[in-house]
Amino acid sequence: MEPSPKDGESAAAAEPSRGGTAPSSGVVVQVREKKGPLRAAIPYMPFPVAVICLFLNTFVPGLGTFVSAFTVLCGARTDLPDRHMCCVFWLNIAAALIQILTAIVMVGWIMSIFWGMDMVILASKY
Protein backbone atom coordinates (compact mmCIF):
# COMPACT_ATOMS: atom_id res chain seq x y z
CA MET A 1 0.00 0.00 0.00
CA GLU A 2 1.44 3.37 -1.06
CA PRO A 3 1.33 6.40 1.23
CA SER A 4 -1.03 9.16 0.20
CA PRO A 5 0.43 12.48 -0.99
CA LYS A 6 0.77 15.23 1.64
CA ASP A 7 -0.40 18.84 1.54
CA GLY A 8 -0.64 19.72 -2.12
CA GLU A 9 1.78 17.14 -3.50
CA SER A 10 0.43 15.30 -6.48
CA ALA A 11 0.66 11.55 -6.83
CA ALA A 12 2.76 12.04 -9.98
CA ALA A 13 5.30 14.11 -8.05
CA ALA A 14 5.43 11.54 -5.26
CA GLU A 15 6.60 8.70 -7.52
CA PRO A 16 9.96 8.74 -9.30
CA SER A 17 10.22 9.83 -12.91
CA ARG A 18 10.23 6.93 -15.37
CA GLY A 19 11.53 8.85 -18.37
CA GLY A 20 15.09 8.92 -17.05
CA THR A 21 15.36 12.66 -16.43
CA ALA A 22 13.16 14.90 -14.36
CA PRO A 23 11.50 17.80 -16.17
CA SER A 24 13.39 21.08 -15.75
CA SER A 25 11.45 24.08 -14.54
CA GLY A 26 14.01 26.62 -15.81
CA VAL A 27 14.45 28.37 -12.47
CA VAL A 28 17.87 29.90 -11.77
CA VAL A 29 18.79 30.20 -8.12
CA GLN A 30 21.56 32.54 -7.01
CA VAL A 31 22.98 32.37 -3.50
CA ARG A 32 24.82 35.35 -2.12
CA GLU A 33 26.30 35.45 1.35
CA LYS A 34 25.38 38.46 3.42
CA LYS A 35 28.25 39.52 5.64
CA GLY A 36 28.08 41.62 8.77
CA PRO A 37 30.33 44.68 9.10
CA LEU A 38 33.06 42.86 11.04
CA ARG A 39 33.19 39.93 8.61
CA ALA A 40 33.08 42.26 5.59
CA ALA A 41 36.03 44.22 7.00
CA ILE A 42 38.41 41.26 6.54
CA PRO A 43 40.99 42.49 4.02
CA TYR A 44 41.98 40.75 0.79
CA MET A 45 45.69 40.21 1.45
CA PRO A 46 48.43 38.48 -0.52
CA PHE A 47 48.38 34.73 0.13
CA PRO A 48 51.63 34.51 2.18
CA VAL A 49 50.49 37.35 4.47
CA ALA A 50 47.13 35.65 4.99
CA VAL A 51 48.85 32.38 5.91
CA ILE A 52 51.06 34.22 8.42
CA CYS A 53 47.95 35.86 9.93
CA LEU A 54 46.28 32.43 10.19
CA PHE A 55 49.39 31.07 11.92
CA LEU A 56 49.43 34.02 14.36
CA ASN A 57 45.70 33.68 15.06
CA THR A 58 46.12 29.98 15.77
CA PHE A 59 48.74 30.44 18.48
CA VAL A 60 47.93 33.93 19.83
CA PRO A 61 44.23 34.72 19.39
CA GLY A 62 43.64 38.09 17.76
CA LEU A 63 47.26 38.79 16.82
CA GLY A 64 46.80 37.89 13.15
CA THR A 65 43.61 39.94 13.00
CA PHE A 66 45.51 42.86 14.55
CA VAL A 67 48.24 42.55 11.89
CA SER A 68 45.61 42.34 9.15
CA ALA A 69 44.16 45.66 10.33
CA PHE A 70 47.37 47.36 9.27
CA THR A 71 47.16 45.85 5.80
CA VAL A 72 44.00 47.90 5.34
CA LEU A 73 46.07 51.04 5.92
CA CYS A 74 48.52 49.75 3.30
CA GLY A 75 45.76 49.59 0.70
CA ALA A 76 44.26 46.10 1.07
CA ARG A 77 40.76 45.87 -0.41
CA THR A 78 37.73 44.82 1.68
CA ASP A 79 34.05 44.12 1.07
CA LEU A 80 33.22 47.55 2.54
CA PRO A 81 34.08 49.91 -0.34
CA ASP A 82 31.72 52.63 0.87
CA ARG A 83 33.45 52.98 4.26
CA HIS A 84 36.57 55.02 4.87
CA MET A 85 39.88 53.23 5.33
CA CYS A 86 40.18 54.34 8.97
CA CYS A 87 36.71 52.98 9.78
CA VAL A 88 37.61 49.58 8.34
CA PHE A 89 40.90 49.68 10.26
CA TRP A 90 39.05 50.24 13.55
CA LEU A 91 36.56 47.47 12.73
CA ASN A 92 39.49 45.06 12.38
CA ILE A 93 41.01 46.32 15.65
CA ALA A 94 37.62 45.75 17.33
CA ALA A 95 37.49 42.19 15.95
CA ALA A 96 41.01 41.55 17.29
CA LEU A 97 40.05 42.88 20.73
CA ILE A 98 36.93 40.70 20.79
CA GLN A 99 39.07 37.68 19.94
CA ILE A 100 41.64 38.50 22.63
CA LEU A 101 39.09 39.22 25.37
CA THR A 102 36.96 36.15 24.70
CA ALA A 103 39.92 33.77 24.25
CA ILE A 104 39.71 33.03 27.99
CA VAL A 105 36.52 31.03 27.42
CA MET A 106 37.80 29.50 24.12
CA VAL A 107 35.21 31.40 22.04
CA GLY A 108 37.76 34.00 20.95
CA TRP A 109 40.33 31.35 20.08
CA ILE A 110 37.89 29.50 17.84
CA MET A 111 36.70 32.78 16.32
CA SER A 112 40.32 33.75 15.74
CA ILE A 113 41.10 30.52 13.89
CA PHE A 114 38.00 30.86 11.71
CA TRP A 115 38.92 34.50 11.02
CA GLY A 116 42.37 33.37 9.87
CA MET A 117 40.82 30.70 7.65
CA ASP A 118 38.57 33.34 6.09
CA MET A 119 41.66 35.48 5.41
CA VAL A 120 43.30 32.58 3.56
CA ILE A 121 40.10 31.84 1.60
CA LEU A 122 39.78 35.49 0.56
CA ALA A 123 43.48 35.58 -0.37
CA SER A 124 43.12 32.50 -2.55
CA LYS A 125 40.21 34.17 -4.42
CA TYR A 126 42.27 37.37 -4.81
Side-chain angles (χ1 to χ4, degrees), residues 30-43:
Q30 181 180 5
V31 178
R32 187 172 47 166
E33 182 182 4
K34 183 177 179 187
K35 297 180 179 180
L38 281 180
R39 181 63 57 110
I42 298 175

Side-chain angles (χ1 to χ4, degrees), residues 32-33 35-44 72 75-89 91-92 122:
R32 187 172 47 166
E33 182 182 4
K35 297 180 179 180
L38 281 180
R39 181 63 57 110
I42 298 175
Y44 289 83
V72 172
R77 189 175 61 84
T78 65
D79 288 332
L80 294 172
D82 55 333
R83 298 223 180 158
H84 193 267
M85 182 186 309
C86 290
C87 179
V88 177
F89 169 78
L91 282 171
N92 279 294
L122 289 176

Side-chain angles (χ1 to χ4, degrees), residues 5-6 14 25-26 37 39-40 42 51 58 68 70 92 103-104 110 112 114 123 125:
K6 298 179 183 177
S25 63
R39 181 63 57 110
I42 298 175
V51 171
T58 302
S68 74
F70 289 97
N92 279 294
I104 298 168
I110 295 168
S112 182
F114 278 116
K125 290 180 182 177

Side-chain angles (χ1 to χ4, degrees), residues 5-20:
K6 298 179 183 177
D7 299 329
E9 290 181 354
S10 68
E15 68 181 46
S17 173
R18 295 175 193 226

